[in-house]
Amino acid sequence: MRTTEKTDTTVRRRQRRGATAALVMAALMTTTVTACAPPLRDLGPLPPRFTGPPLPADAVVSQMTSVLAADGITVEREPSNGQGRCSERLVGRHAPETAEADLKAAFARARSEHGWKTGPDMGSETLILVKSNWTVIASLPGESAQGIQAPIVMSLTCLDGGSPSASPAAPSPAPTAS
């Protein structure tokens, strides 16, 4: 029995030494990091996620539909079923011979006539526009089989600006009975 007690005492001493050493190392590291790190500067509030007033979904869809129509592309608005998300989709078909050129021309028209800006580069096969709280993404149509029109699909997504006009498609909370 005595060897068991001696072993327990030895193990406990080692554990205490290890814990003490760990605390000393943590205190030493904290002191070193604090002394060597430059003080943090307050840079003020973060910039807004978007500039300008939030745009309603109906206005953005109407604007993009008219821009596409000016270049001969006809699209329809798909019903939005995003609960609490602000997103829309425009879908249509166009002649495969001119689909890519017409889509690029429509995006150029949106930039020049309606104030849209080019979005982040996601490759040569994707077109992106941003305006206020909205981002529009369209993939360039690929090769279509002969006799089949090229699909045109545009995704319109917004950052919810916190106002009801920013996402009219979002359901409003139902009144509760007291």
Side-chain angles (χ1 to χ4, degrees):
M1 288 270 220
R2 296 203 92 196
T3 29
T4 308
E5 289 175 9
K6 253 184 162 181
T7 305
D8 286 346
T9 303
T10 305
V11 169
R12 285 189 186 122
R13 282 183 188 157
R14 285 185 184 164
Q15 286 176 339
R16 274 186 275 184
R17 278 190 215 136
T20 304
L23 286 173
V24 169
M25 286 301 294
L28 183 59
M29 291 299 292
T30 303
T31 305
T32 304
V33 168
T34 305
C36 296
L40 296 175
R41 293 182 309 141
D42 183 9
L43 300 175
L46 291 173
R49 295 187 338 177
F50 59 89
T51 59
L55 299 173
D58 291 335
V60 173
V61 168
S62 173
Q63 196 173 85
M64 291 311 297
T65 302
S66 69
V67 164
L68 291 168
D71 283 297
I73 301 173
T74 304
V75 291
E76 292 181 10
R77 183 180 191 174
E78 283 192 348
S80 178
N81 60 358
Q83 297 170 349
R85 289 193 64 204
C86 190
S87 65
E88 299 289 335
R89 249 176 86 151
L90 300 177
V91 179
R93 296 205 166 267
H94 193 62
E97 305 83 33
T98 61
E100 187 172 319
D102 289 346
L103 192 57
K104 285 181 179 179
F107 270 62
R109 182 183 315 283
R111 285 191 298 273
S112 66
E113 294 178 11
H114 297 280
W116 288 84
K117 304 221 181 306
T118 302
D121 184 18
M122 294 188 65
S124 62
E125 298 297 313
T126 304
L127 301 173
I128 301 177
L129 293 174
V130 293
K131 182 177 180 181
S132 186
N133 57 324
W134 285 89
T135 301
V136 176
I137 300 174
S139 294
L140 294 175
E143 296 290 321
S144 293
Q146 188 173 1
I148 298 177
Q149 290 191 321
I152 304 293
V153 178
M154 294 180 78
S155 297
L156 296 84
T157 308
C158 79
L159 296 171
D160 189 1
S163 74
S165 66
S167 78
S172 58
T176 56
S178 355

Short mmCIF file of all heavy atoms in Angstrom, two decimals, residues 1-17:
data_model
loop_
_atom_site.label_atom_id
_atom_site.label_comp_id
_atom_site.label_asym_id
_atom_site.label_seq_id
_atom_site.Cartn_x
_atom_site.Cartn_y
_atom_site.Cartn_z
N MET A 1 0.80 -1.19 0.00
CA MET A 1 0.00 0.00 0.00
C MET A 1 0.85 1.26 0.00
O MET A 1 0.44 2.25 -0.56
CB MET A 1 -0.89 0.03 1.23
CG MET A 1 -1.99 -0.96 1.18
SD MET A 1 -3.35 -0.15 0.44
CE MET A 1 -4.65 -0.73 1.34
N ARG A 2 1.97 1.18 0.62
CA ARG A 2 2.82 2.36 0.72
C ARG A 2 3.35 2.78 -0.66
O ARG A 2 3.50 3.95 -0.92
CB ARG A 2 3.97 2.09 1.67
CG ARG A 2 3.44 1.84 3.07
CD ARG A 2 4.43 2.10 4.08
NE ARG A 2 4.21 3.48 4.44
CZ ARG A 2 5.02 4.26 5.10
NH1 ARG A 2 6.12 3.82 5.51
NH2 ARG A 2 4.77 5.47 5.38
N THR A 3 3.65 1.82 -1.53
CA THR A 3 4.16 2.18 -2.86
C THR A 3 3.08 2.90 -3.66
O THR A 3 3.39 3.80 -4.44
CB THR A 3 4.62 0.93 -3.65
OG1 THR A 3 3.89 -0.20 -3.26
CG2 THR A 3 6.07 0.73 -3.53
N THR A 4 1.85 2.52 -3.49
CA THR A 4 0.76 3.17 -4.20
C THR A 4 0.64 4.62 -3.75
O THR A 4 0.46 5.53 -4.55
CB THR A 4 -0.56 2.43 -3.96
OG1 THR A 4 -0.39 1.07 -4.26
CG2 THR A 4 -1.67 3.00 -4.81
N GLU A 5 0.71 4.85 -2.42
CA GLU A 5 0.63 6.20 -1.89
C GLU A 5 1.80 7.05 -2.36
O GLU A 5 1.64 8.23 -2.69
CB GLU A 5 0.59 6.17 -0.36
CG GLU A 5 -0.71 5.62 0.19
CD GLU A 5 -0.68 5.48 1.70
OE1 GLU A 5 0.28 5.94 2.33
OE2 GLU A 5 -1.62 4.90 2.22
N LYS A 6 3.02 6.46 -2.39
CA LYS A 6 4.20 7.17 -2.84
C LYS A 6 4.06 7.56 -4.32
O LYS A 6 4.40 8.66 -4.72
CB LYS A 6 5.43 6.28 -2.68
CG LYS A 6 6.33 6.68 -1.57
CD LYS A 6 7.53 5.78 -1.59
CE LYS A 6 8.62 6.42 -0.80
NZ LYS A 6 9.82 5.65 -0.77
N THR A 7 3.54 6.64 -5.13
CA THR A 7 3.36 6.91 -6.55
C THR A 7 2.34 8.02 -6.76
O THR A 7 2.55 8.92 -7.57
CB THR A 7 2.89 5.63 -7.27
OG1 THR A 7 3.81 4.59 -7.02
CG2 THR A 7 2.79 5.85 -8.77
N ASP A 8 1.24 7.98 -6.00
CA ASP A 8 0.22 9.03 -6.10
C ASP A 8 0.81 10.40 -5.74
O ASP A 8 0.53 11.39 -6.41
CB ASP A 8 -0.96 8.73 -5.17
CG ASP A 8 -1.84 7.61 -5.69
OD1 ASP A 8 -1.69 7.26 -6.89
OD2 ASP A 8 -2.68 7.11 -4.93
N THR A 9 1.62 10.45 -4.70
CA THR A 9 2.22 11.70 -4.27
C THR A 9 3.17 12.22 -5.35
O THR A 9 3.18 13.41 -5.68
CB THR A 9 2.99 11.49 -2.95
OG1 THR A 9 2.09 10.97 -1.98
CG2 THR A 9 3.56 12.80 -2.45
N THR A 10 3.95 11.36 -5.93
CA THR A 10 4.90 11.74 -6.98
C THR A 10 4.16 12.28 -8.21
O THR A 10 4.53 13.30 -8.78
CB THR A 10 5.77 10.54 -7.39
OG1 THR A 10 6.40 10.02 -6.21
CG2 THR A 10 6.81 10.94 -8.40
N VAL A 11 3.10 11.59 -8.61
CA VAL A 11 2.32 12.03 -9.77
C VAL A 11 1.68 13.38 -9.51
O VAL A 11 1.68 14.27 -10.38
CB VAL A 11 1.25 10.96 -10.13
CG1 VAL A 11 0.26 11.49 -11.14
CG2 VAL A 11 1.91 9.70 -10.63
N ARG A 12 1.14 13.59 -8.32
CA ARG A 12 0.51 14.87 -7.98
C ARG A 12 1.53 16.01 -8.00
O ARG A 12 1.23 17.12 -8.46
CB ARG A 12 -0.16 14.78 -6.61
CG ARG A 12 -1.44 14.01 -6.66
CD ARG A 12 -2.20 14.13 -5.34
NE ARG A 12 -3.35 13.26 -5.38
CZ ARG A 12 -3.61 12.29 -4.52
NH1 ARG A 12 -2.79 12.09 -3.50
NH2 ARG A 12 -4.67 11.55 -4.63
N ARG A 13 2.75 15.75 -7.49
CA ARG A 13 3.79 16.78 -7.51
C ARG A 13 4.14 17.17 -8.95
O ARG A 13 4.30 18.35 -9.27
CB ARG A 13 5.05 16.28 -6.80
CG ARG A 13 4.94 16.31 -5.31
CD ARG A 13 6.24 15.88 -4.68
NE ARG A 13 6.06 15.74 -3.24
CZ ARG A 13 6.82 14.99 -2.46
NH1 ARG A 13 7.81 14.30 -2.99
NH2 ARG A 13 6.60 14.93 -1.19
N ARG A 14 4.26 16.17 -9.83
CA ARG A 14 4.58 16.44 -11.22
C ARG A 14 3.46 17.25 -11.90
O ARG A 14 3.70 18.15 -12.69
CB ARG A 14 4.82 15.14 -11.99
CG ARG A 14 6.13 14.51 -11.67
CD ARG A 14 6.37 13.31 -12.52
NE ARG A 14 7.60 12.65 -12.14
CZ ARG A 14 7.93 11.43 -12.48
NH1 ARG A 14 7.11 10.71 -13.25
NH2 ARG A 14 9.07 10.90 -12.09
N GLN A 15 2.24 16.90 -11.55
CA GLN A 15 1.11 17.63 -12.14
C GLN A 15 1.11 19.09 -11.67
O GLN A 15 0.84 19.99 -12.45
CB GLN A 15 -0.22 16.96 -11.78
CG GLN A 15 -0.47 15.67 -12.53
CD GLN A 15 -1.75 14.98 -12.07
OE1 GLN A 15 -2.25 15.23 -10.98
NE2 GLN A 15 -2.25 14.09 -12.92
N ARG A 16 1.41 19.32 -10.39
CA ARG A 16 1.46 20.69 -9.87
C ARG A 16 2.57 21.48 -10.53
O ARG A 16 2.39 22.63 -10.88
CB ARG A 16 1.64 20.70 -8.35
CG ARG A 16 0.31 20.60 -7.61
CD ARG A 16 0.52 20.75 -6.16
NE ARG A 16 0.85 19.38 -5.72
CZ ARG A 16 1.05 19.00 -4.50
NH1 ARG A 16 1.01 19.86 -3.52
NH2 ARG A 16 1.31 17.76 -4.19
N ARG A 17 3.75 20.83 -10.70
CA ARG A 17 4.87 21.51 -11.36
C ARG A 17 4.49 21.86 -12.80
O ARG A 17 4.80 22.93 -13.29
CB ARG A 17 6.11 20.62 -11.35
CG ARG A 17 6.86 20.70 -10.05
CD ARG A 17 8.21 19.99 -10.20
NE ARG A 17 8.52 19.35 -8.94
CZ ARG A 17 9.00 18.13 -8.78
NH1 ARG A 17 9.25 17.39 -9.83
NH2 ARG A 17 9.24 17.65 -7.60
#
